[in-house]
Amino acid sequence: MSTGRSATAALTLGAIGVVYGDIGTSPLYALKEVFSHGRVPLSPENILGILSLVFWTITVVVSLKYVVLILRADNNGEGGLIAMLALASQAVKDRPALRRRLLLLGIFGTAVFFGDGVITPAISVLSAVEGLEVAAPGLHRWVVPVTLVVLTLLFAAQRHGTAAVGRFFGPVTLAWFAVLALLGIPHIAANPAVLAALSPHHALGFLLAHPGIAFVALGAVVLTVTGAEALYADLGHFGKRPIRLAWFGVAMPALVLNYFGQGAMLLAHPENVRNPFYEMAPGWALFPLIGLATAATVIASQALITAAFSVAKQAMQLGYLPRLHIVHTSVKEAGQIYVPFVNWALFAGVVFAVAMFGSSDKLASAYGIAVTIDMTITTVMTFFVIRYAWKLPLALCIAATGAFFVIDITFFLANAVKILEGGWFPLLIGGVMFLVMTTWKQGRALMAERGRDEAIELPVFVESLFVAPPTRVEGTAVFLSAEKGVTPFALLHNLKHNRVLHEQNLFVTVQHHERPWIGFDRRVELEPLGHDCWQVTLHFGFKNDPDVPEALKLLAGRGIALDEMQTSYFLSRDTVVPTLAGGMALWREKLFAGMHRNAAAAADFLSLPTNRIVELGSKIAI
């Protein structure tokens, strides 16, 4: 096999493990939720109608929307809601009002994603462990404790990184998909009439004959496509071709065979509706199946946790979250990170969800609304990308995204009726995160505005400084400033207290952009100010790791030689003082001040050497 084919095969196996872990565990609870509590009466017509809805939902939402259309909307090879948000906002940058609305919509979707990150591990692992009730009904009281033990071990292991176990994700999930197919095939063979559900007329007939029941059922049918967003989010890790091969070659056939196998069994044994997934298996296979299902759900949960770390980092880069401590868990893969605060915040939410809801049935009511909100937002963003970035005709854009939008909204409304049953939970998480993200963004804007009000233009200050120059000392001073062209407070304080200026002075501003990667060829922008002083602007994408010392090494070829041991980094440590003078509501200003005070040090975020840093304090009233 050629090197190219080997690489594609390896990436496809990896995609099976990471991309499809979430959607691959949906058979554990999706059909069970459809028929639970008598929502949909168990009749042959209804079973065929639901199976037809499931098949065509998977086909239209996953195969057509995500695999065919949205995978094409890559942002320099990267995917995910933040990448789509950056792409859409760039496409409409000449329409400021529209751009602001899209940014808010995208940030709300990102905030709701964290709700998804809480519910996915909870419902996935809980639904796997619930197999114990089928194997031995007396084990019912152990379901929640065992689930919490598994989840505790999962979150505790995050600090070690995923590299050690990641290589097993693909093979384990591939085995899971093989088992899904093998469970379904015998039941389909015993009752091949179930294959009639492949025809869309069964779905349409069910929708028209029982509109009320069908509307309620849609709220559970959408659970069959949870994890579809991962297709797009993991685009940068695997590429389009491996993701498509994994879907059409492995994931979709196995899922369809399993769902149809569950349907065939229910046609013959409607009494098995309590847990159709596990009831498909022979008695001798139950405990091994529970073990494999638990492993598969842990992998699905791991993919969501890892994605939450990446999303949090990207939101930090774009200025929507305060700096958080980030641990790089791999010396080879920059994308493998661990964010302790996010990890334990998710864990607290997951434990709360498992303890409060107690079963996958109850959690399913909370799950669908988070999924459908993000699916709808992605469709809206796609319209603006294909219309304003790709310049496709308006009629074609409406046709391409309009049908998906109607489907997404229908699924959302079907889940919205379950807000009181549990749908409030992800909305609460999303609302809190949205408040935090917008408060941080607005607070930073207010700080920048106050800074500009008191600012002195850097070129003017440098010229005035050398009318009566201060004493020069050897070495290089790097002054970090949030605003380009503005005299840093750290410089003013240094001159006031130390009354010296270094031989070389670099005034460095770090700018993060709405694109995933910015190469070294565009990393540094240099403007001479005279008197061995330079304005330096460093450019990073939202997936780049901001490393200031490494970036400044690029100046060596432009006439500025830096000796690491003779270079000092000067930063301002600002203290935010909330006031009643405009800005935000006082309680939001206090929230921002608290986040600002507890944010990780800028020195760590910018990878500055800890033994070469000088911090000088200042107060900013907002």
Side-chain angles (χ1 to χ4, degrees):
M1 184 162 33
S2 68
T3 304
R5 288 184 180 178
S6 298
T8 300
L11 286 170
T12 302
L13 183 62
I16 290 169
V18 176
V19 178
Y20 297 111
D22 189 2
I23 198 170
T25 55
S26 296
L28 283 164
Y29 49 81
L31 276 192
K32 179 175 72 168
E33 176 63 15
V34 172
F35 293 108
S36 67
H37 310 299
R39 288 192 179 99
V40 179
L42 268 174
S43 67
E45 295 80 13
N46 288 351
I47 291 172
L48 291 177
I50 289 294
L51 286 179
S52 188
L53 274 177
V54 167
F55 175 76
W56 287 102
T57 296
I58 291 173
T59 301
V60 173
V61 173
V62 184
S63 299
L64 296 182
K65 177 183 171 181
Y66 282 95
V67 176
V68 174
L69 175 61
I70 289 179
L71 278 186
R72 299 166 67 90
D74 66 292
N75 190 340
N76 293 307
E78 294 294 327
L81 193 53
I82 285 187
M84 176 72 85
L85 168 61
L87 209 58
S89 65
Q90 282 294 307
V92 297
K93 61 184 177 182
D94 55 340
R95 295 171 171 82
L98 176 58
R99 184 173 182 272
R100 280 194 299 272
R101 293 189 187 99
L102 282 180
L103 282 169
L104 282 176
L105 183 64
I107 292 304
F108 179 68
T110 303
V112 170
F113 169 80
F114 288 102
D116 192 8
V118 167
I119 296 175
T120 294
I123 192 173
S124 299
V125 177
L126 195 54
S127 61
V129 178
E130 282 172 347
L132 292 173
E133 298 175 318
V134 178
L139 295 176
H140 168 76
R141 62 194 179 91
W142 290 99
V143 169
V144 169
V146 170
T147 298
L148 291 176
V149 168
V150 171
L151 289 168
T152 301
L153 292 173
L154 171 63
F155 280 92
Q158 295 305 309
R159 62 191 180 91
H160 300 295
T162 58
V165 295
R167 65 175 67 94
F168 299 110
F169 283 11
V172 171
T173 310
L174 182 61
W176 171 250
F177 278 119
V179 168
L180 288 183
L182 290 172
L183 286 173
I185 289 171
H187 293 282
I188 296 171
N191 199 344
V194 76
L195 294 175
L198 292 171
S199 169
H201 86 271
H202 283 286
L204 293 173
F206 177 68
L207 291 171
L208 294 174
H210 312 286
I213 294 173
F215 182 73
V216 172
L218 287 175
V221 168
V222 75
L223 297 177
T224 62
V225 293
T226 57
E229 284 284 332
L231 275 169
Y232 183 45
D234 288 311
L235 174 59
H237 293 288
F238 300 102
K240 298 171 189 175
R241 180 173 167 77
I243 289 174
R244 287 170 173 156
L245 285 174
W247 173 248
F248 289 114
V250 177
M252 185 179 179
L255 288 169
V256 171
L257 286 170
N258 191 270
Y259 284 124
F260 275 63
Q262 290 187 43
M265 181 195 65
L266 290 175
L267 283 173
H269 303 284
E271 68 276 8
N272 289 342
V273 71
R274 188 170 63 91
N275 200 321
F277 176 81
Y278 280 114
E279 294 288 359
M280 278 199 300
W284 60 266
L286 271 177
F287 282 106
L289 182 59
I290 292 167
L292 180 60
T294 303
T297 56
V298 164
I299 290 171
S301 303
Q302 177 64 64
L304 260 291
I305 295 166
T306 303
F309 294 160
S310 297
V311 168
K313 179 190 170 188
Q314 292 171 25
M316 279 185 266
Q317 307 281 65
L318 291 175
Y320 283 97
L321 280 178
R323 293 183 302 271
L324 299 172
H325 179 54
I326 295 176
V327 179
H328 288 267
T329 58
S330 171
V331 294
K332 295 180 180 179
E333 297 294 332
Q336 290 187 14
I337 60 173
Y338 167 61
V339 187
F341 179 82
V342 173
N343 185 66
W344 295 114
L346 283 178
F347 176 68
V350 168
V351 169
F352 180 78
V354 171
M356 183 178 66
F357 290 96
S359 73
S360 60
D361 286 347
K362 294 177 181 176
L363 264 172
S365 298
Y367 199 12
I369 199 157
V371 173
T372 52
I373 286 173
D374 278 348
M375 285 168 51
T376 305
I377 290 174
T378 298
T379 300
V380 172
M381 295 288 180
T382 303
F383 170 80
F384 289 100
V385 170
I386 65 176
R387 173 64 180 143
Y388 294 105
W390 298 358
K391 308 294 185 185
L392 295 180
L394 179 61
L396 179 60
C397 295
I398 292 173
T401 59
F404 296 131
F405 181 77
V406 170
I407 292 169
D408 293 338
I409 284 292
T410 302
F411 279 126
F412 169 73
L413 293 175
N415 278 279
V417 301
K418 298 188 289 185
I419 287 178
L420 295 179
E421 298 176 35
W424 59 269
F425 184 61
L427 290 179
L428 176 64
I429 296 173
V432 170
M433 285 303 303
F434 183 70
L435 174 66
V436 166
M437 295 170 82
T438 53
T439 297
W440 180 257
K441 186 72 170 180
Q442 193 172 344
R444 293 291 297 173
L446 287 172
M447 282 186 66
E449 186 180 323
R450 298 295 181 268
R452 284 192 295 270
D453 291 343
E454 302 170 9
I456 304 170
E457 287 189 26
L458 183 59
V460 174
F461 181 79
V462 170
E463 285 303 317
S464 66
L465 183 63
F466 285 95
V467 172
T471 302
R472 306 293 288 264
V473 295
E474 64 179 15
T476 300
V478 176
F479 294 94
L480 277 297
S481 174
E483 290 286 322
K484 181 179 177 181
V486 171
T487 305
F489 286 121
L491 172 62
L492 298 175
H493 287 299
N494 186 52
L495 289 170
K496 179 180 178 181
H497 296 291
N498 298 325
R499 297 184 176 87
V500 296
L501 194 68
H502 285 69
E503 282 179 334
Q504 288 189 130
N505 295 275
L506 305 179
F507 302 97
V508 176
T509 298
V510 175
Q511 292 187 354
H512 295 282
H513 296 269
E514 294 176 358
R515 62 178 65 184
W517 304 102
I518 290 179
F520 287 115
D521 57 328
R522 291 175 292 161
R523 176 78 77 231
V524 180
E525 187 181 332
L526 184 66
E527 299 173 31
L529 299 171
H531 311 286
D532 291 320
C533 298
W534 291 269
Q535 169 77 65
V536 181
T537 307
L538 303 180
H539 301 278
F540 295 95
F542 59 76
K543 295 203 76 172
N544 288 126
D545 287 317
D547 189 329
V548 169
E550 194 67 28
L552 292 180
K553 289 179 182 178
L554 298 172
L555 294 172
R558 304 176 71 171
I560 302 175
L562 297 180
D563 181 347
E564 288 185 23
M565 299 308 296
Q566 292 290 312
T567 301
S568 299
Y569 296 86
F570 290 81
L571 296 88
S572 293
R573 178 172 282 277
D574 303 319
T575 300
V576 176
V577 181
T579 69
L580 292 171
M584 297 183 287
L586 185 60
W587 66 270
R588 287 188 74 193
E589 290 186 359
K590 289 181 177 179
L591 172 62
F592 172 74
M595 288 192 290
H596 189 272
R597 185 170 56 252
N598 292 292
D604 294 335
F605 185 70
L606 300 173
S607 303
L608 303 182
T610 53
N611 60 339
R612 310 296 304 167
I613 296 169
V614 180
E615 285 192 320
L616 299 163
S618 63
K619 287 187 176 182
I620 296 181
I622 61 172

